[in-house]
Amino acid sequence: MRGYATIAIIAAVVVAALASVLISGREQASPGSNALVEAAYPLVTGQVQNFILADALEPAPALAFQDADGNALSLEDFRGQYVLLNLWATWCGPCKREMPSLDRLQASLGGQNFRVLALSEDRTGVEDVKAFFGEIGIENLVIYIDETASSSRKFGVSGLPGTILLDPQGNMVGRMIGPAEWDSPEAVALLSHFTQ
């Protein structure tokens, strides 16, 4: 019996030592980490509980897309503000359900420091996106479209919707796959943490 007690004590010491190493490693800033991101962890709850904050800030991949008038754009055009990039499509049921909340979020938080960039991955053209916006009453979002539908691949998003928060320097702060109520108190608290 004494042998089992000794083994149990040794095992407890080893587990405590490993936990200490893991915790201290988490507390130390890794290269490219950001104190603002670190401070956001308690805000990842409720509607945004699946939002994954970046361990280290990395530049977003280059994207080429267009606005409703066919003007060529890239993410570089949105530098200087936080951007909630939402990859979606008109044929995506969860996208259709979350789009009104993104519209309300743009109305309430959008401005000089923050923008919702809802980027359609529809290959059928901008007219389908315009019709979709009209059908569900989108008033505050600007139409952007990537007819190549390559944005998801470039960001490693395996299913729509996919949402990525970019900082004013174009770095990826965090991401979430799947829908959310983006104007929920939890989502607004998380985004306001960065934009206010």
Side-chain angles (χ1 to χ4, degrees), residues 12 15 17 29 40 53-54 59 79-80 86 100 111 115 122 141 156 169-170 185 188 196:
V15 168
L53 291 162
R79 289 279 178 99
N86 181 263
R115 171 191 301 261
D122 283 273
L141 297 176
Q169 293 74 44
V188 169
Q196 302 300 314

Side-chain angles (χ1 to χ4, degrees), residues 41-50 184 186-187 190:
Y41 277 93
L43 301 173
V44 179
T45 63
Q47 284 289 316
V48 287
Q49 67 185 347
N50 295 324
S184 67
E186 304 93 350
L190 175 63

Side-chain angles (χ1 to χ4, degrees), residues 104-155:
R104 293 188 300 266
L105 178 67
Q106 175 62 30
S108 64
L109 282 188
Q112 192 172 20
N113 296 328
F114 176 78
R115 171 191 301 261
V116 176
L117 196 166
L119 181 57
S120 168
E121 299 230 319
D122 283 273
R123 294 178 184 233
T124 55
V126 71
E127 293 306 318
D128 284 349
V129 178
K130 287 179 181 178
F132 177 86
F133 270 35
E135 177 187 320
I136 63 171
I138 299 300
E139 298 177 354
N140 303 293
L141 297 176
V142 175
I143 291 176
Y144 300 106
I145 187 166
D146 171 14
E147 290 186 46
T148 68
S150 64
S151 301
S152 293
R153 180 179 42 77
K154 289 182 178 180
F155 274 97

Side-chain angles (χ1 to χ4, degrees), residues 73-84:
L73 296 167
S74 74
L75 291 178
E76 295 286 327
D77 295 308
F78 298 89
R79 289 279 178 99
Q81 61 185 323
Y82 279 92
V83 172
L84 191 68

Side-chain angles (χ1 to χ4, degrees), residues 150-175:
S150 64
S151 301
S152 293
R153 180 179 42 77
K154 289 182 178 180
F155 274 97
V157 172
S158 57
L160 297 179
T163 307
I164 302 100
L165 180 62
L166 307 175
D167 72 10
Q169 293 74 44
N171 297 311
M172 296 179 286
V173 173
R175 65 174 44 223

Side-chain angles (χ1 to χ4, degrees), residues 22-99:
L22 290 172
I23 290 169
S24 67
R26 182 75 182 123
E27 289 172 353
Q28 293 177 351
S30 59
S33 70
N34 181 298
L36 195 60
V37 174
E38 292 290 324
Y41 277 93
L43 301 173
V44 179
T45 63
Q47 284 289 316
V48 287
Q49 67 185 347
N50 295 324
F51 193 85
I52 301 169
L53 291 162
D55 288 331
L57 298 180
E58 294 180 9
L63 293 184
F65 52 95
Q66 298 177 334
D67 65 14
D69 296 322
N71 298 310
L73 296 167
S74 74
L75 291 178
E76 295 286 327
D77 295 308
F78 298 89
R79 289 279 178 99
Q81 61 185 323
Y82 279 92
V83 172
L84 191 68
L85 173 64
N86 181 263
L87 305 175
W88 71 282
T90 59
W91 46 261
C92 164
C95 301
K96 186 172 185 173
R97 288 190 297 276
E98 89 168 348
M99 192 60 63

